């Protein structure tokens, strides 16, 4: 599924979506909550609610980041899921999922930041997206038993649980609301992937950067004294690959955004000074996210 950023939809992706749809229908037949069904159908996520800046999650009880799989679940269901896997703690630079391997376990991130990358036809590695504590990764291979479509690497120390697919599928059958939320999560990721692909062909680099930075504010931002601080250590090459542009073009776009008073940048950190103006520049409306 991650490869949708760089490739057209594959038959395996379509099959995976059919599998998610089957989960959805099974959940509906067993009486899933109307709330979860409405979230899947309409997105149910107005910008004003999504733009709640949260501090990094603490295992002792803080909220999970908005939009992550754990945040979507009711507390009892969340506790059950957290008890399914085998916990591991790894340092920065650890690969937790390898692109191309035929394996089907899932990884439930609990703490830390990870990056999702895929190998391009010319051998380069493309940064496709980022995942944080509370996110579920590896769900596509668990659903369709196909090789991994991307590599997941920790950007710092991380904690996660490894969940075997049979246990996860049993969990979905016993908790139909979670099956609906899984379908909603996959839908969100596909929508994000489609938007990135459209961005590459429809917008100049400056607007692409504005759109990606605004998205990072939502997913990884925290309110600071001078604006919204994006707590993701992105290099210029990382930002270039996720925006689909050259490093030179990214540097120029960031320089223009600084001149416009929209952002401040220092070593691997971005502070957004004027998010509403940044969103307007990127042609982002409340329904876009």
């Amino acid at each position: 599924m991650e490869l949708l950023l760089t490739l057209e939809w594959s038959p395996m992706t379509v099959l995976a979506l059919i599998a998610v749809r089957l989960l959805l229908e099974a959940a509906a037949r067993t009486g899933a909550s109307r709330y979860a069904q409405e979230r899947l159908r309409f997105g149910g996520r107005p910008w004003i609610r999504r733009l709640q800046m949260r501090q990094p999650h603490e295992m002792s009880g803080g909220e999970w980041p908005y939009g992550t799989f754990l945040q979507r679940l009711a507390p009892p269901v969340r506790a059950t899921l957290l008890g399914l896997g085998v916990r591991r703690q790894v340092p920065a630079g650890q690969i937790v999922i390898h692109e191309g391997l035929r394996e089907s376990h899932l990884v439930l991130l609990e703490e830390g930041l990870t990056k999702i990358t895929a190998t391009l036809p010319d051998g380069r590695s493309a940064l496709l997206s980022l995942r944080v504590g509370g996110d579920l990764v590896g769900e596509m291979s668990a659903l369709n038993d196909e090789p991994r479509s991307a590599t997941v690497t920790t950007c710092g120390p991380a904690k996660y649980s490894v969940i075997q697919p049979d246990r996860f599928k049993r969990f979905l059958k016993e908790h139909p609301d979670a099956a609906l939320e899984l379908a909603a999560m996959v839908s969100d990721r596909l929508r994000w992937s489609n938007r990135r692909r459209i961005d590459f062909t429809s917008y100049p680099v400056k607007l692409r950067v504005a759109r990606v930075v605004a998205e990072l504010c939502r997913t990884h931002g925290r309110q600071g004294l001078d604006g919204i601080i994006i707590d993701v250590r992105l290099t210029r090459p990382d930002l270039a690959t996720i925006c689909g542009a050259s490093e030179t073009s990214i540097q120029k776009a960031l320089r223009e955004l600084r001149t416009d008073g929209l952002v401040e940048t220092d070593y691997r950190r971005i502070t957004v000074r004027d998010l509403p103006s940044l969103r307007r520049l990127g042609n982002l409306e409340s329904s876009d996210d």
Side-chain angles (χ1 to χ4, degrees):
M1 182 253 293
E2 303 293 352
L3 287 177
L4 289 175
L5 285 171
T6 53
L7 303 174
E8 296 297 328
W9 287 27
S10 68
M12 289 300 100
T13 298
V14 176
L15 290 176
L17 289 177
I18 292 173
V20 172
R21 178 63 182 178
L22 292 175
L23 285 173
L24 168 61
E25 292 174 350
R29 287 196 298 269
T30 53
S33 71
R34 181 171 180 175
Y35 167 74
Q37 294 182 50
E38 290 299 308
R39 283 192 57 177
L40 176 63
R41 182 179 176 187
F42 299 109
R45 305 189 311 178
W47 171 257
I48 192 170
R49 188 173 77 234
R50 296 181 70 188
L51 188 58
Q52 295 178 357
M53 298 308 160
R54 291 176 168 86
Q55 298 300 320
H57 172 76
E58 294 179 356
M59 294 302 293
S60 59
E63 288 189 351
W64 296 93
Y66 190 89
T68 62
F69 190 58
L70 285 178
Q71 184 274 332
R72 295 169 182 265
L73 303 179
V77 180
R78 184 186 306 137
T80 300
L81 180 60
L82 284 167
L84 288 183
V86 177
R87 283 190 169 84
R88 296 178 180 173
Q89 185 169 346
V90 296
Q94 182 76 30
I95 296 178
V96 299
I97 287 180
H98 294 257
E99 179 183 1
L101 290 188
R102 184 176 290 278
E103 54 187 17
S104 56
H105 65 267
L106 299 96
V107 172
L108 180 62
L109 301 172
E110 297 185 20
E111 292 184 16
L113 173 70
T114 62
K115 61 181 180 179
I116 315 297
T117 59
T119 303
L120 298 176
D122 61 6
R124 293 182 298 120
S125 179
L127 174 65
L128 303 183
S129 59
L130 301 165
R131 297 286 180 258
V132 297
D135 274 325
L136 183 70
V137 295
E139 75 283 352
M140 298 302 287
S141 291
L143 289 173
N144 63 13
D145 198 31
E146 288 296 314
R148 301 294 194 188
S149 62
T151 294
V152 181
T153 308
T154 60
C155 299
K159 295 180 181 178
Y160 63 91
S161 294
V162 176
I163 303 175
Q164 296 305 316
D166 56 339
R167 302 194 71 183
F168 185 69
K169 292 174 183 177
R170 185 163 56 249
F171 163 80
L172 293 177
K173 291 178 181 179
E174 295 172 353
H175 300 89
D177 284 6
L180 284 171
E181 294 296 354
L182 175 65
M185 181 192 74
V186 172
S187 175
D188 286 346
R189 291 180 179 179
L190 287 173
R191 184 181 299 112
W192 192 91
S193 298
N194 286 337
R195 192 169 69 192
R196 291 285 80 76
R197 189 166 64 244
I198 293 171
D199 286 355
F200 293 163
T201 58
S202 303
Y203 295 103
V205 174
K206 183 178 179 179
L207 267 68
R208 287 185 231 167
V209 174
R211 291 168 70 87
V212 169
V213 171
E215 173 71 6
L216 289 173
C217 280
R218 182 189 64 79
T219 57
H220 305 291
R222 61 178 174 86
Q223 188 65 55
L225 294 177
D226 299 322
I228 300 170
I229 300 171
I230 297 175
D231 277 331
V232 176
R233 303 298 181 181
L234 283 179
T235 64
R236 294 296 182 267
D238 287 341
L239 192 57
T241 55
I242 207 170
C243 291
S246 67
E247 291 182 47
T248 301
S249 298
I250 293 297
Q251 292 172 356
K252 179 182 177 182
L254 288 174
R255 184 166 60 250
E256 292 176 356
L257 292 176
R258 287 195 299 267
T259 301
D260 295 339
L262 301 182
V263 305
E264 293 291 341
T265 61
D266 55 27
Y267 181 67
R268 294 191 179 183
R269 188 164 86 170
I270 300 174
T271 301
V272 176
R273 305 294 297 275
D274 188 347
L275 181 58
S277 296
L278 186 70
R279 288 179 55 78
R280 285 193 295 270
L281 174 64
N283 293 329
L284 288 170
E285 302 297 334
S286 60
S287 61
D288 287 341
D289 290 316

